[in-house]
Amino acid sequence: MFDRSEAYFCSTVTLVDRVLGTALSFKDKTIAITGASGTMGRALMSELSKRGARIIALTTSPDASFQITDSDNQEKKEIEVITWQLGHEAALRDRLQTVDILILNHGVNVLGARDSASIYKSYEVNTFSVFRWIDMFLETVESSLNSTKEIWVNTSEAEVNPAFSPLYELSKRAIGDLVTLRRLDNFCTIRKLILGPFKSDLNPYGVMSASFVAWAIAFLAQLGLHDIIVTINPLTFIAYPVKEFWRSLYFRLFSRRQP
């Protein structure tokens, strides 16, 4: 049988959902995506729109506009764009009330820089801003009626592998650990996007295409996976689960949720 069609599909056997890809439906879900102006942001908006989602583009770029192809009539359509400012995430708290899935995809890579300004910038964008969005969204999860809400966080493969950009790696590992910590409270589903190198303006040498990565993310999410790994590096499929198990165990043993 099936539970609420506007939320998750649920068969009598969970394995069936994973095989058929019915663990999650995007149809008519409102999905807000940060970093919408970037390569991956655009790819995710296009892919999720094709699967029936209503998209909200969250961007720090002023005067940004986006068009995506309507999944029903294949016509181009404008989507809602909301501009936000770093450090002022709370200004959008009320708007998040009607969002079903928040995808935190924004980030910065200062490459080989190691000066103080670059350190602050890396952690502010990649770690603290993302964590503020998470806490703000969790405030909207007030009852079981909102239990189908989700957060997806692009923590990247840098969680477990060298990124050849120390500050990017450090700040991404920090938000990865914070997400692992926050997951213990079970407010709502929080998925991690552990992505390998894909071609973008920030990484022209990436091996994978952004469109393929976006398709894989959506496909794996519909299979019900909470840790979505998309990479060409086979070691990540071994190293990440091991790392996540031990970090989660450590946090569970030596931290507790305050009343």
Side-chain angles (χ1 to χ4, degrees):
M1 67 179 179
F2 292 92
D3 196 2
R4 300 170 56 193
S5 61
E6 76 277 11
Y8 294 99
F9 293 132
C10 182
S11 68
T12 55
V13 182
T14 303
L15 180 61
V16 173
D17 288 323
R18 291 185 179 274
V19 173
L20 296 181
T22 56
L24 171 65
S25 172
F26 296 119
K27 182 66 174 177
D28 296 327
K29 289 287 184 68
T30 298
I31 301 180
I33 305 175
T34 66
S37 298
T39 302
M40 183 50 60
R42 290 177 181 272
L44 284 169
M45 288 192 295
S46 176
E47 181 62 36
L48 295 171
S49 177
K50 291 177 185 176
R51 295 173 184 252
R54 295 187 295 266
I55 304 298
I56 299 175
L58 300 173
T59 177
T60 56
S61 300
D63 304 319
S65 63
F66 306 94
Q67 284 189 335
I68 53 180
T69 302
D70 188 283
S71 59
D72 295 324
N73 54 32
Q74 300 302 306
E75 293 182 355
K76 294 288 186 180
K77 66 176 182 179
E78 296 285 335
I79 64 173
E80 181 180 0
V81 179
I82 299 178
T83 302
W84 64 282
Q85 293 182 331
L86 191 69
H88 297 276
E89 295 83 1
L92 296 181
R93 178 180 284 105
D94 292 341
R95 187 64 185 86
L96 292 181
Q97 293 287 342
T98 58
V99 171
D100 297 301
I101 301 175
L102 174 64
I103 302 180
L104 298 171
N105 172 65
H106 63 285
V108 66
N109 189 349
V110 297
L111 300 176
R114 62 186 185 194
D115 56 281
S116 294
S118 296
I119 292 172
Y120 283 116
K121 182 177 181 180
S122 296
Y123 276 92
E124 178 61 21
V125 177
N126 296 340
T127 306
F128 299 123
S129 173
V130 173
F131 199 69
R132 285 194 294 268
W133 276 106
I134 291 173
D135 272 354
M136 185 169 64
F137 188 75
L138 290 176
E139 292 176 6
T140 71
V141 185
E142 298 174 347
S143 69
S144 59
L145 294 177
N146 289 323
S147 63
T148 58
K149 286 197 169 199
E150 295 192 6
I151 303 172
W152 300 7
V153 185
N154 182 356
T155 63
S156 110
E157 199 174 36
E159 268 207 78
V160 291
N161 292 327
F164 303 106
S165 175
L167 290 179
Y168 182 81
E169 179 181 324
L170 289 169
S171 56
K172 282 292 188 177
R173 290 190 178 192
I175 189 58
D177 281 347
L178 289 174
V179 170
T180 301
L181 186 69
R182 185 56 82 229
R183 276 174 162 178
L184 299 180
D185 295 328
N186 295 317
F187 288 112
C188 70
T189 297
I190 304 179
R191 304 184 197 269
K192 285 190 185 183
L193 310 181
I194 302 99
L195 310 181
F198 57 87
K199 288 186 178 180
S200 67
D201 293 336
L202 293 178
N203 184 12
Y205 305 106
V207 178
M208 300 179 292
S209 70
S211 59
F212 165 76
V213 174
W215 172 86
I217 289 170
F219 174 76
L220 294 172
Q222 287 190 299
L223 291 182
L225 300 184
H226 287 192
D227 293 315
I228 297 175
I229 303 175
V230 185
T231 182
I232 61 170
N233 185 352
L235 295 178
T236 302
F237 293 92
I238 301 172
Y240 174 79
V242 172
K243 169 261 180 189
E244 189 70 358
F245 171 80
W246 288 112
R247 296 302 284 172
S248 181
L249 179 61
Y250 168 65
F251 293 149
R252 192 179 297 276
L253 291 176
F254 295 101
S255 68
R256 64 182 183 275
R257 180 182 173 185
Q258 297 296 320

